[in-house]
Amino acid sequence: MSPESPLDVGIAPFVKALAEDGIETFESCQGGDGHAAPEPVIRFHGDRAEGFHALAIAQRRDLPVAALRRAWPVQDGEPTGPWWELTFSRTAA
């Protein structure tokens, strides 16, 4: 975690838990008013199995996962990605 881009307090424990088991994230947000996402979310790259690997890690650690998604955002009319997203039903305590 660098001073230029600190992790949101409400998502940091989830990001750290995934990182401890080798999941390299590139974006996260605790969600809510004033944040980039409506719900807590962690985004990461990986092949078609990586999302399921991250989900298994999160479930073993009893993280409150709400959804696992594979995303292809469209930017300037072109699909980009894909990347994986884990969303959570609540922030970290």
Side-chain angles (χ1 to χ4, degrees):
M1 175 166 62
S2 73
E4 297 84 38
S5 60
L7 294 173
D8 291 338
V9 174
I11 199 76
F14 301 163
V15 172
K16 290 175 184 174
L18 293 173
E20 286 172 1
D21 278 316
I23 302 298
E24 294 184 35
T25 65
F26 70 87
E27 189 171 57
S28 64
C29 181
Q30 72 183 19
D33 291 340
H35 288 270
E39 73 257 326
V41 63
I42 297 174
R43 295 185 176 120
F44 54 98
H45 294 291
D47 64 18
R48 62 184 178 177
E50 193 69 1
F52 300 99
H53 178 219
L55 176 61
I57 291 166
Q59 289 179 323
R60 276 190 225 110
R61 291 174 173 258
D62 291 323
L63 303 184
V65 176
L68 171 66
R69 301 178 182 135
R70 187 78 155 149
W72 287 265
V74 176
Q75 296 175 347
D76 296 323
E78 298 281 339
T80 62
W83 64 58
W84 287 102
E85 297 179 344
L86 278 175
T87 63
F88 301 87
S89 59
R90 62 170 175 78
T91 57

